[in-house]
Amino acid sequence: MTSPTIYDVARAAGVATSTVSRAFSNPQRVSAPTRELVVRVAEELGYSPNPHARALTSRRTQTIAMVVSDITNPHFFEIIRGAELRAKASAHTLVLVNAEESPRIEREQINRLSRSVDGFLLAASRLPEEDLVELAGTHAVVMVNRQVTGIPSVVLDQREGCRQLVTHLVSLGHTSLAYLTGPRESWMAGSRWAAIRDAAAEAGATAVRMGPFTPRVAHGAAAADAALTTGATALIAHNDLLAIGVLQRLAARSVRVPEDISVTGFDDIFAAELCTPSLTTLGGTHVNVGRAAVELLLEAVDAPRRAATAVQQLVLPSQLVLRDSTGLAPGRTGPA
């Protein structure tokens, strides 16, 4: 039995073959009713577009790569889900790549995929800025959880979020804060530290930075031990995984949380609500970050030579989630 062709679909749907082609390869250029008609007819006939043939004619693969700094970090789960949903809605395939917190592996994976995808989503990239600018000169690129001048990006509002976090701690009487920073190559770690430092100064508190630490539970013990040498009464960990490791180490050393010391994190992963005590953290709607990143990437693929002034760097709202790991500073018996 002969497989149905694009001409069969066009004839059955009563549209031109070019319309069928666009409905699959460039759906935003076809009205929603027409695209729905073409897709329905194609399904009824059992027609499936050939991605390799389509790539030869359009130079598009309908595939985008999402490179994640550490795929085991639950923070990325909702970002990935949002990106995948948006990619699927535009008939694109999302390929997931784990960079393993290694700039070398990240660079190797990008080079390997550079000819087989339409563009890259780089989530918390550890690559040097000059490498990212060079990549963006030849490929459609969108940054997630990082900003680079001239490259589209999506981040949660760290400056306002950190200000709210510091204000919360100061309201509890904490005047000495310690930030347990993430990897040296992490743009987010530097961004958070700058925001925490400035917010603490404005509130009349002091803040010190300790680290860098690998942002995983297993490294929380070293972070906690370092933090205890500072005399700080409130600890702000680079992410929730590190914060959970800190909580475990403090419990092992009989340091009470939040009676003796308060602990906070970032990302609001699902485990933040389940650990003991539950973790105060700065989060946000991460699924929207993934969706918005794919939106920007599809725009970049369609307009690769857009003016630099049109580059969008989206900043989405963050959200402070208060739980049991923060409390009054030692010696405080009421509102600060």
Side-chain angles (χ1 to χ4, degrees):
M1 181 178 179
T2 305
S3 298
T5 67
I6 191 173
Y7 302 102
D8 297 324
V9 175
R11 189 180 307 109
V15 299
T17 54
S18 58
T19 300
V20 176
S21 176
R22 281 195 298 271
F24 288 104
S25 64
N26 206 354
Q28 58 269 31
R29 295 186 58 190
V30 179
S31 68
T34 300
R35 169 164 165 69
E36 291 172 2
L37 170 64
V38 169
V39 170
R40 186 179 74 252
V41 170
E43 290 177 348
E44 291 173 353
L45 295 178
Y47 169 77
S48 179
N50 185 324
H52 301 292
R54 187 172 63 231
L56 288 173
T57 58
S58 67
R59 296 186 179 181
R60 301 279 178 83
T61 65
Q62 300 299 110
T63 302
I64 56 181
M66 184 171 192
V67 184
V68 179
S69 61
D70 180 8
I71 204 170
T72 66
N73 187 341
H75 161 62
F76 292 110
F77 294 172
E78 284 297 287
I79 295 177
I80 293 169
R81 187 170 73 90
E84 199 277 332
L85 288 171
R86 183 60 186 88
K88 183 188 296 182
S90 293
H92 284 69
T93 299
L94 183 73
V95 175
L96 200 57
V97 179
N98 183 18
E100 302 177 37
E101 290 285 1
S102 167
R104 177 186 60 81
I105 292 175
E106 182 175 356
R107 189 179 294 107
E108 289 174 352
Q109 294 282 32
I110 289 172
N111 290 340
R112 186 172 293 118
L113 290 167
S114 61
R115 293 188 177 183
S116 55
V117 300
D118 294 335
F120 292 94
L121 300 174
L122 303 182
S125 174
R126 305 303 190 217
L127 290 177
E129 188 166 310
E130 56 268 24
D131 288 9
L132 295 170
V133 172
E134 181 180 357
L135 176 65
T138 57
H139 295 78
V141 175
V142 172
M143 310 298 302
V144 178
N145 287 3
R146 182 172 177 179
Q147 291 178 330
V148 175
T149 301
I151 302 178
S153 61
V154 186
V155 299
L156 291 178
D157 191 343
Q158 298 300 305
R159 177 154 292 276
E160 174 59 22
C162 288
R163 187 193 66 78
Q164 292 180 20
L165 179 57
V166 169
T167 299
H168 165 65
L169 294 172
V170 172
S171 76
L172 296 171
H174 297 281
T175 58
S176 178
L177 317 176
Y179 174 54
L180 311 178
T181 191
R184 186 173 285 105
E185 302 88 356
S186 170
W187 175 88
M188 189 63 76
S191 177
R192 285 171 177 164
W193 166 241
I196 290 167
R197 180 194 60 209
D198 293 348
E202 291 174 7
T206 60
V208 296
R209 175 170 55 173
M210 306 295 289
F213 300 103
T214 301
R216 294 175 182 162
V217 174
H219 295 263
D225 289 348
L228 290 175
T229 68
T230 68
T233 61
L235 311 182
I236 305 174
H238 173 73
N239 72 354
D240 290 347
L241 293 177
L242 189 64
I244 290 170
V246 168
L247 290 175
Q248 293 175 349
R249 179 61 171 173
L250 293 176
R253 294 190 58 172
S254 299
V255 178
R256 300 172 302 165
V257 178
E259 293 83 0
D260 299 326
I261 196 166
S262 288
V263 177
T264 69
F266 286 89
D267 299 339
D268 193 24
I269 64 174
F270 62 87
E273 193 172 7
L274 304 177
C275 61
T276 303
S278 58
L279 184 65
T280 291
T281 180
L282 185 69
T285 309
H286 295 104
V287 69
N288 289 343
V289 173
R291 285 196 182 102
V294 172
E295 289 276 2
L296 291 184
L297 187 63
L298 295 178
E299 290 177 11
V301 169
D302 286 339
R305 289 181 291 275
R306 67 194 183 289
T309 53
V311 172
Q312 296 188 65
Q313 295 193 317
L314 301 182
V315 180
L316 304 184
S318 54
Q319 180 180 3
L320 180 61
V321 182
L322 302 181
R323 297 195 179 100
D324 297 334
S325 67
T326 51
L328 292 173
R332 292 280 184 175
T333 58

